[in-house]
Amino acid sequence: MAGIPDYMTYDYLRNLRMNHAAWRLLTADQAAFIAAFFYREFIAGKRRGIEAQELLEHLDMFLYDAQQQTEGEAFGRAPQDYLEIWSDPDHGWLRKYEYHDDWYYDLTAPAQKAVEWLVSLHKQDFVGTESRLRTVFNLLHEIARETDTDVEHRKAYLREQQQKIAAELAEIESSGVVKPQLDDVQVKERFLQAEDTAQAILADFREVEENFRELTRKVQDDVVKWTRGKGELLEKIFNESDIIRKSEQGRSFMAFWRYLMLSQQQEDFRETMAQLSKTEPIRELLPDHPLMSINREWVRAAGSVQQTLGQLSAQLRRYVDEAYLQEERTIYQLIQRIETSAVDKRGQLPGGEFTSIREIAPAVQLPMERRLFAPPQATKLVSPVLQAGSGEDGELSAIFNQVIVDREQLQTNVNDLLAERPEVSLAEVLAVHPLQQGLPELLGYLVLASHEEAEAFDSSALERILFERDGQKLMAVCNRVTFRRKS
């Protein structure tokens, strides 16, 4: 039938069902278990790279909970086996990579699409249509207006806006009252649409990274097969690097990054959200729709894409290295030589000795020569029944006085300040977020700094950290610590 796009033909969809990772996830035997775990760890928490040991522990707990909740469904694999299977190319749901000598896992773009499609099946209590219709018309009007080069049309538009502004000013000056332009339903509808768009932007970053990697793989394939001079190769590398950044995907991302990192834009976002939080319809929505922190999530996700771009550029530079290219060419020459030899030998019977057998008679092992079966000794475990105690014989206060430092909260404290400036010292962080748990919390900040980079500690300068613990004023002296925003 005419008018059907190629990506919705029967052949294309049949091939998609067999090869696309998102479709494989939806048709997997344990799709519900896999999608629920991916949503909890990556999407609900808005996390990208999770350290392998941490994800392994979370999966172990999730497996235990799933086995307790279901009857008859078997989870016969170890958590480590599940992670390895989900990250292999045959499945393609997790991406495993190394960073600072540690292994991390991140959700792939196809897996995220599959989980988000399952989320979209949830019936919504409120579906806004009026704000979306206005958005469509506003976007079309903006395109038509900003691409129109007719002088008279532009003058007419500006005069119309001028008349509207003058009329509104006159009404305010005469009445002294500002009338709301939106009712409660329209306010709620527009806020939810803004949240959906903000979450969609955050979800798109994984696909942006995947597109950049695909561009880099194409460049690497071209470089390996290069047979001309190195000067021309360097020119090609520089041109291809520009292609990655100057592609439509690259230009859109760089424009987003520049706009997001402007300090006035971040300040405008905070002021706008502070103003909206005072509006009654939105105040009711904020507990279930926390849009206040989405700005920091954008910065983290975009920073991860920037880091990926840096790694891809480093890989391209490594491909230019003469020794690496020589090694790759040698491998290709050996493969070509083997293929050529195989073609020449096709149809020719091998001469001389083709194969040989080391022994002239088979080795026979009689059944009675084998060792008799010995039943294993059962280990006896003494497992007395636990008796509920009264708590009168011991002191339980030590259990409740343990100090537990939330390292994720410490990282959030640092990121809050890094969102406003490129680097911040430990003393500046503690000035805004004072120590509440004493030395363990201070050590937590030092551990975070050690994970960032070696230059975080400056041994030439000392910092004196003042804090209170159990009513006593204490001071800790350590090297100057500086946290820097990841570029």
Side-chain angles (χ1 to χ4, degrees):
M1 182 181 295
I4 297 180
D6 294 339
Y7 54 82
M8 287 304 296
T9 61
Y10 169 71
D11 290 338
Y12 183 88
L13 293 177
R14 184 181 57 179
N15 182 65
L16 199 68
R17 181 183 182 277
M18 297 174 60
N19 300 313
H20 200 278
W23 205 318
R24 285 198 300 267
L25 193 153
L26 294 174
T27 56
D29 293 336
Q30 298 177 340
F33 166 74
I34 300 170
F37 180 72
F38 287 170
Y39 181 82
R40 193 186 76 165
E41 293 299 319
F42 294 98
I43 298 179
K46 300 183 180 65
R47 301 188 65 183
R48 300 187 68 79
I50 301 179
E51 200 269 329
Q53 185 60 35
E54 178 186 355
L55 190 64
L56 188 64
E57 295 173 357
H58 291 182
L59 179 57
D60 192 10
M61 297 174 57
F62 194 81
L63 267 171
Y64 176 79
D65 293 339
Q67 289 171 347
Q68 298 299 317
Q69 297 172 7
T70 58
E71 296 182 0
E73 187 170 357
F75 299 94
R77 298 183 183 273
Q80 182 64 45
D81 294 337
Y82 277 117
L83 293 182
E84 293 298 330
I85 291 174
W86 295 344
S87 58
D88 66 23
D90 292 337
H91 292 79
W93 302 331
L94 291 178
R95 181 173 67 90
K96 185 179 182 181
Y97 62 96
E98 188 177 9
Y99 180 67
H100 286 182
D101 298 329
D102 291 323
W103 287 100
Y104 288 79
Y105 287 95
D106 192 11
L107 199 64
T108 61
Q112 178 165 343
K113 285 182 178 294
V115 176
E116 288 178 343
W117 183 80
L118 293 175
V119 173
S120 68
L121 297 181
H122 173 68
K123 180 176 176 57
Q124 301 181 18
D125 297 331
F126 175 75
V127 179
T129 54
E130 184 260 349
S131 62
R132 297 184 181 183
L133 179 62
R134 285 182 177 271
T135 301
V136 172
F137 278 100
N138 290 338
L139 290 174
L140 295 177
H141 289 158
E142 182 182 1
I143 295 173
R145 183 175 61 250
E146 300 302 330
T147 56
D148 190 358
T149 58
D150 189 280
V151 176
E152 295 302 326
H153 290 175
R154 189 65 177 180
K155 287 181 179 180
Y157 168 74
L158 294 176
R159 291 193 187 101
E160 182 182 357
Q161 297 301 313
Q162 186 179 21
Q163 292 173 2
K164 289 182 179 179
I165 295 173
E168 186 174 354
L169 283 173
E171 182 179 356
I172 294 175
E173 290 174 353
S174 62
S175 64
V177 178
V178 178
K179 297 180 180 178
Q181 302 295 319
L182 301 175
D183 57 28
D184 291 350
V185 174
Q186 290 176 321
V187 170
K188 179 179 179 180
E189 184 178 347
R190 281 156 177 77
F191 181 80
L192 293 177
Q193 184 184 358
E195 185 198 28
D196 290 342
T197 305
Q199 297 293 349
I201 292 174
L202 190 63
D204 287 341
F205 281 116
R206 283 193 174 93
E207 191 163 3
V208 171
E209 286 188 62
E210 193 64 32
N211 292 342
F212 284 144
R213 289 193 185 92
E214 184 63 29
L215 283 172
T216 306
R217 280 192 290 268
K218 292 179 180 177
V219 175
Q220 292 172 349
D221 292 342
D222 293 340
V223 171
V224 169
K225 300 175 183 178
W226 194 261
T227 57
R228 284 176 283 179
K230 189 171 183 179
E232 297 177 356
L233 174 60
L234 290 174
E235 181 180 1
K236 179 178 179 61
I237 287 292
F238 293 143
N239 291 336
E240 296 292 357
S241 299
D242 289 339
I243 287 176
I244 293 177
R245 292 187 177 273
K246 292 182 179 179
S247 63
E248 292 183 353
Q249 184 79 80
R251 284 183 296 173
S252 177
F253 171 73
M254 295 309 297
F256 171 88
W257 178 256
R258 287 192 298 268
Y259 186 82
L260 178 64
M261 296 310 295
L262 289 176
S263 58
Q264 58 265 32
Q265 297 298 338
Q266 298 185 17
E267 184 63 28
D268 176 70
F269 182 83
R270 284 191 290 269
E271 292 178 356
T272 303
M273 289 304 303
Q275 179 182 352
L276 292 179
S277 62
K278 301 176 183 178
T279 307
E280 184 63 29
I282 293 181
R283 190 186 302 120
E284 300 174 356
L285 294 174
L286 284 179
D288 297 328
H289 303 273
L291 194 58
M292 185 72 74
S293 62
I294 194 67
N295 195 30
R296 292 194 298 270
E297 303 300 334
W298 283 340
V299 173
R300 291 178 185 174
S304 177
V305 177
Q306 288 280 29
Q307 179 182 345
T308 300
L309 281 176
Q311 294 174 350
L312 296 179
S313 299
Q315 290 178 6
L316 288 178
R317 288 194 298 270
R318 182 170 62 90
Y319 264 64
V320 182
D321 182 72
E322 189 65 35
Y324 184 86
L325 285 175
Q326 186 63 35
E327 181 180 349
E328 289 289 319
R329 292 195 186 103
T330 301
I331 294 174
Y332 274 91
Q333 290 173 359
L334 289 175
I335 294 175
Q336 186 177 8
R337 193 179 305 166
I338 293 173
E339 292 176 346
T340 303
S341 178
V343 171
D344 294 340
K345 298 295 184 180
R346 183 187 301 169
Q348 299 181 11
L349 295 176
E353 182 180 313
F354 177 71
T355 185
S356 61
I357 301 176
R358 182 175 300 176
E359 302 292 340
I360 60 175
V364 179
Q365 185 177 10
L366 299 177
M368 298 304 297
E369 294 179 355
R370 302 177 183 176
R371 296 180 57 186
L372 297 177
F373 170 76
Q377 295 182 356
T379 303
K380 296 182 179 180
L381 300 177
V382 179
S383 180
V385 179
L386 296 178
Q387 301 293 331
S390 61
E392 298 176 353
D393 300 333
E395 180 63 36
L396 301 179
S397 60
I399 297 177
F400 304 100
N401 293 333
Q402 298 184 68
V403 178
I404 299 177
V405 178
D406 187 357
R407 191 174 297 177
E408 293 185 1
Q409 181 60 42
L410 302 185
Q411 186 68 59
T412 301
N413 296 341
V414 174
N415 292 340
D416 287 342
L417 297 181
L418 288 179
E420 302 175 358
R421 47 187 181 272
E423 63 181 31
V424 62
S425 66
L426 176 59
E428 293 174 332
V429 176
L430 297 181
V432 180
H433 305 282
L435 294 177
Q436 303 294 330
Q437 297 171 301
L439 276 180
E441 187 175 354
L442 177 60
L443 290 176
Y445 279 111
L446 298 181
V447 170
L448 290 179
S450 66
H451 290 170
E452 297 291 334
E453 51 183 348
E455 293 79 9
F457 297 90
D458 184 9
S459 59
S460 62
L462 297 178
E463 284 185 344
R464 290 172 172 80
I465 310 298
L466 298 175
F467 60 94
E468 290 186 5
R469 184 65 175 174
D470 298 331
Q472 297 181 355
K473 293 185 177 181
L474 304 174
M475 182 177 68
V477 180
C478 62
N479 293 338
R480 182 183 297 277
V481 177
T482 302
F483 297 94
R484 296 179 176 84
R485 182 192 300 158
K486 295 181 180 179
S487 60

